[in-house]
């Protein structure tokens, strides 16, 4: 059947559901019966409902804090989350391991057993499918704040069934954002279709009076992604989700490094997502934003890493993002210890609390940046709809095929990979090589001019070397990869 941006019929959804649940023994859990799941979700207290807590949080304009965290053994995972809650996490995650992300549940099972035996984590996250509904319910019942699955799964249908039936009221991901940056050879039409199912499941729960939040993964590859590309993908995924009946969406953005560009991006992410939702008739969707602390390479030195975390938190607070995902001073090493994770939360929370009554003041530069982002997003969205002859799902597939949308540094072979970013002379992320991006000549001219200013300042030619230097610069202590700087 051809992929279309059209709400799955209840019959098609339920037929697909039956197939999915047969694929794994936990599928026969009585907890996965939809009536049982609805009953369970209805008794989850409001304070543990992700969607409702976000609505309240947005009203207060205080940026909420959420870490990443996940270990394979159930009791250890619960201890970890309880500790992070004590450190001040407003929302809790369960970061899912890489085997589960690739639907390799037998290997995940082995990882759990070996981790139990050796007394240390041999998987890089919490394998939700293997723990099934009973395990996931136990996690929810052991904490006092809302829970979300954070992963990177192109086919998250079974995972989504399990977490929602367990009372987890948010799911991160999307057909583009959990494919292009995460997988090498999953066709985009397949991952988009699978995420339509995940969204339809949320739509089903919404039809039964249960609010569930969905969060497209904003930062994509996390490395020098020009804001308009992130925002366009977020808008596409928000529209696809809304069509399936999702009513509460958090769109995300990863810190770039220039404060004005970052604040303009978060503001535009909020307003443009709402604008496009209204334009296509989705008038009952609540939109919030999430700011990701620096997603690129981190300094090895833990004090410097904490400095970068503090800077990220400052920008998030000034942008008034609804929520922020924290990093830790162990970022350059690997999965953080519980204590390091807690420190990231405490430092970040301290900063957003200090800055709760302040925001970045309006300026002509902030306005210029917002206008530029809007022009670029409109140009990209136009090209996507055109490529799909009016259908957004088709448009997304075709746009990536043709390079009209093209994410820098992505591993997927379904991404053209011709775009090269570089910073301008003030550290804003601009575009050096456009490949076939759906941009007008006027937009391209703006980027060329900005990068030329930097190259002239540094007295060197405009080349790929700018990109290379910028990829490494932050971990080495500079925002802009200037030559001859230590
Ligand atoms: N626990 C904590 N953080 C994790 N990350 C990935 N898996 C885990 C986990 N199990 C973090 C990485 C990186 C980000 C993408 O996710 O450290 O910061």
């Amino acid at each position: 059947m051809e992929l279309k941006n059209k709400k799955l019929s209840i019959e098609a959804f339920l037929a697909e559901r039956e197939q999915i649940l047969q694929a794994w023994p936990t599928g026969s859990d009585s907890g996965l019966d939809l009536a049982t799941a609805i009953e369970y979700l209805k008794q989850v207290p409001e304070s543990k409902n992700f969607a409702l807590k976000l609505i309240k949080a947005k009203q207060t304009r205080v940026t909420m804090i959420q870490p990443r965290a996940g270990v394979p053994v159930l009791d250890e995972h619960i201890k970890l989350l309880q500790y992070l809650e004590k450190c001040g996490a407003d929302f809790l995650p369960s970061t899912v391991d890489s085997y589960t992300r690739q639907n390799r549940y037998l290997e995940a099972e082995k990882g759990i057993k070996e981790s139990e035996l050796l007394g240390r984590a041999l998987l890089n996250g919490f394998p939700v499918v293997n723990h099934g509904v009973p395990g996931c319910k136990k996690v929810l019942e052991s904490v006092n704040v809302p829970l979300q699955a954070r992963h990177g799964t192109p086919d998250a249908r079974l995972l989504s069934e399990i977490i929602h039936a367990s009372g987890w009221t948010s799911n991160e991901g999307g057909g583009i954002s959990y494919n292009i940056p995460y997988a090498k050879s999953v066709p985009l039409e397949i991952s988009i279709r699978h995420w339509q199912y995940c969204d339809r499941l949320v739509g089903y729960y919404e039809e039964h009076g249960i609010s569930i939040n969905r969060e497209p993964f904003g930062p994509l590859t996390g490395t020098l992604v020009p804001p308009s590309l992130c925002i366009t993908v977020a808008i596409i995924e928000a529209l696809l989700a809304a069509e399936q009946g999702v009513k509460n969406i958090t769109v995300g953005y990863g810190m770039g490094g220039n404060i004005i560009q970052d604040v303009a991006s978060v503001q535009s992410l909020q307003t443009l997502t709402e604008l496009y939702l209204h334009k296509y008739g989705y008038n009952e969707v609540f939109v919030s934003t999430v700011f990701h602390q620096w997603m690129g390479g981190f300094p090895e030195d833990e004090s410097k890493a904490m400095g970068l975390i503090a800077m990220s938190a400052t920008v998030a607070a000034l942008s008034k993002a609804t929520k922020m995902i924290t990093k830790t001073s162990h970022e350059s090493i690997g999965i953080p210890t519980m204590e390091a994770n807690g420190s990231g939360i405490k430092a970040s929370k301290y900063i957003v609390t200090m800055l709760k009554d302040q925001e970045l003041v309006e300026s002509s530069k902030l306005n210029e940046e917002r206008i530029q982002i809007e022009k670029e997003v409109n140009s990209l969205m136009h090209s996507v709809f055109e490529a799909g002859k009016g259908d957004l799902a088709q448009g997304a597939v075709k746009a990536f095929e043709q390079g009209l949308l093209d994410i820098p540094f992505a591993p997927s072979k379904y991404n053209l990979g011709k775009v090269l970013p570089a910073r301008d002379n003030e550290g804003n992320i601009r575009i050096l090589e456009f490949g076939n991006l759906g941009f007008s000549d006027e937009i391209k001219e703006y980027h060329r001019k900005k990068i030329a200013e930097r190259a002239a300042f540094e007295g060197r030619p405009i080349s790929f070397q700018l990109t290379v230097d910028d990829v490494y610069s932050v971990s080495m202590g500079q925002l802009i990869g200037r030559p001859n700087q230590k």
Side-chain angles (χ1 to χ4, degrees):
M1 209 178 64
E2 206 193 33
L3 178 73
K4 262 197 184 145
N5 178 28
K6 179 108 187 44
K7 186 170 187 178
L8 304 182
S9 71
I10 186 70
E11 295 77 21
F13 166 69
L14 291 175
E16 186 172 343
R17 185 167 196 272
E18 209 158 300
Q19 281 180 1
I20 293 163
L21 298 195
Q22 274 167 9
W24 180 249
T26 57
S28 57
D29 272 353
S30 61
L32 276 174
D33 165 68
L34 276 171
T36 312
I38 288 170
E39 214 176 295
Y40 184 77
L41 277 157
K42 282 210 161 139
Q43 57 79 49
V44 170
E46 208 182 302
S47 57
K48 283 209 246 183
N49 181 295
F50 219 102
L52 300 180
K53 188 163 175 178
L54 278 167
I55 294 174
K56 281 200 176 151
K58 195 176 165 198
Q59 283 164 356
T60 67
R61 288 172 62 81
V62 182
T63 301
M64 298 285 113
I65 305 286
Q66 184 180 14
R68 295 187 174 89
V71 289
V73 175
L74 181 62
D75 289 343
E76 295 300 317
H77 186 62
I78 290 174
K79 260 193 240 160
L80 171 63
L81 294 191
Q82 287 175 334
Y83 177 79
L84 299 178
E85 185 186 326
K86 262 202 223 126
C87 290
D90 300 299
F91 293 98
L92 282 169
S94 286
T95 302
V96 176
D97 70 290
S98 297
Y99 283 133
T100 304
R101 295 175 187 201
Q102 293 176 49
N103 312 94
R104 291 159 63 175
Y105 309 124
L106 294 176
E107 283 147 296
E109 191 66 35
K110 210 168 142 227
I112 299 173
K113 294 270 145 52
E114 286 175 356
S115 303
E116 279 168 349
L117 215 64
L118 293 173
R120 68 189 167 90
L122 292 182
L123 296 174
N124 61 353
F126 180 76
V128 281
V129 172
N130 296 71
H131 288 300
V133 174
C136 292
K137 277 186 178 170
K138 196 169 170 205
V139 178
L140 182 81
E141 287 164 12
S142 306
V143 298
N144 303 297
V145 298
L147 257 182
Q148 176 188 48
R150 304 188 67 88
H151 39 124
T153 312
D155 178 1
R157 293 172 299 169
L158 180 57
L159 180 158
S160 306
E161 288 283 357
I162 291 172
I163 59 151
H164 294 320
S166 307
W168 300 17
T169 40
S170 179
N171 193 11
E172 192 196 34
I176 301 167
S177 63
Y178 265 11
N179 177 350
I180 298 295
Y182 284 101
K184 189 173 169 187
S185 46
V186 179
L188 207 46
E189 58 252 70
I190 303 268
S191 57
I192 291 179
R193 179 60 184 75
H194 288 340
W195 275 93
Q196 283 181 320
Y197 179 91
C198 300
D199 288 329
R200 184 64 183 84
L201 175 63
V202 172
Y204 181 88
Y205 282 125
E206 291 283 354
E207 287 159 12
H208 290 79
I210 293 153
S211 300
I212 291 185
N213 170 257
R214 281 273 298 109
E215 179 183 331
F217 175 61
L220 301 174
T221 55
T223 304
L224 297 174
V225 187
S228 60
L229 290 179
C230 296
I231 296 172
T232 302
V233 171
I235 293 171
I236 294 171
E237 290 191 353
L239 288 168
L240 293 174
E243 173 62 26
Q244 299 303 324
V246 172
K247 302 275 181 225
N248 189 297
I249 299 177
T250 306
V251 276
Y253 170 80
M255 174 185 168
N258 175 290
I259 295 178
I260 290 178
Q261 188 178 47
D262 280 338
V263 172
S265 296
V266 174
Q267 293 175 342
S268 304
L269 185 61
Q270 175 76 47
T271 54
L272 294 175
T273 304
E274 282 177 340
L275 199 128
Y276 273 93
L277 283 167
H278 291 155
K279 180 169 172 188
Y280 290 96
Y282 307 108
N283 292 312
E284 287 163 16
V285 181
F286 175 84
V287 179
S288 53
T289 55
V290 53
F291 184 92
H292 290 249
Q293 295 190 342
W294 178 250
M295 290 290 283
F298 253 68
E300 274 175 40
D301 183 289
E302 292 192 24
S303 303
K304 291 181 185 172
M306 203 45 106
L308 182 53
I309 287 167
M311 177 179 172
S312 299
T314 304
V315 180
L318 293 178
S319 77
K320 296 286 157 224
T322 322
K323 184 179 89 170
M324 163 170 47
I325 304 293
T326 56
K327 284 269 179 169
T328 78
S329 60
H330 285 180
E331 177 59 23
S332 78
I333 307 162
I335 308 278
T337 61
M338 187 161 100
E339 291 77 17
N341 210 337
S343 300
I345 295 172
K346 285 190 217 166
S348 302
K349 187 139 192 173
Y350 177 77
I351 291 171
V352 295
T353 308
M354 290 289 285
L355 290 173
K356 70 182 164 54
D357 304 304
Q358 299 177 51
E359 64 186 302
L360 197 70
V361 288
E362 272 304 323
S363 64
S364 56
K365 271 197 175 173
L366 183 60
N367 195 38
E368 184 192 320
E369 205 55 46
R370 274 195 309 252
I371 290 171
Q372 183 62 25
I373 289 167
E374 184 169 354
K375 258 189 213 164
E376 294 178 15
V377 168
N378 287 340
S379 181
L380 292 170
M381 287 299 295
H382 179 75
S383 74
V384 172
F385 274 109
E386 212 173 53
K389 300 196 173 74
D391 183 88
L392 183 61
Q394 277 297 321
V397 173
K398 296 266 160 39
F400 274 95
E401 238 166 56
Q402 296 165 26
L404 299 167
L405 281 178
D406 190 352
I407 308 303
F409 312 114
S412 172
K413 67 181 182 196
Y414 297 97
N415 183 68
L416 202 61
K418 293 220 162 126
V419 167
L420 287 179
R423 292 194 187 276
D424 69 14
N425 210 33
E426 290 173 280
N428 296 292
I429 299 172
R430 307 292 181 201
I431 300 169
L432 176 72
E433 291 286 349
F434 299 93
N436 198 30
L437 274 185
F439 277 164
S440 64
D441 288 340
E442 182 201 339
I443 294 171
K444 291 184 189 172
E445 204 38 57
Y446 180 84
H447 286 259
R448 288 197 186 103
K449 192 179 115 225
K450 289 285 184 181
I451 290 182
E453 277 170 16
R454 167 183 169 191
F457 178 83
E458 293 175 0
R460 59 170 166 166
I462 297 171
S463 82
F464 176 56
Q465 194 58 43
L466 298 179
T467 311
V468 175
D469 292 343
D470 289 346
V471 168
Y472 292 106
S473 56
V474 170
S475 63
M476 304 200 317
Q478 303 281 341
L479 180 59
I480 306 171
R482 309 268 197 214
N484 310 320
Q485 278 190 349
K486 292 255 158 55

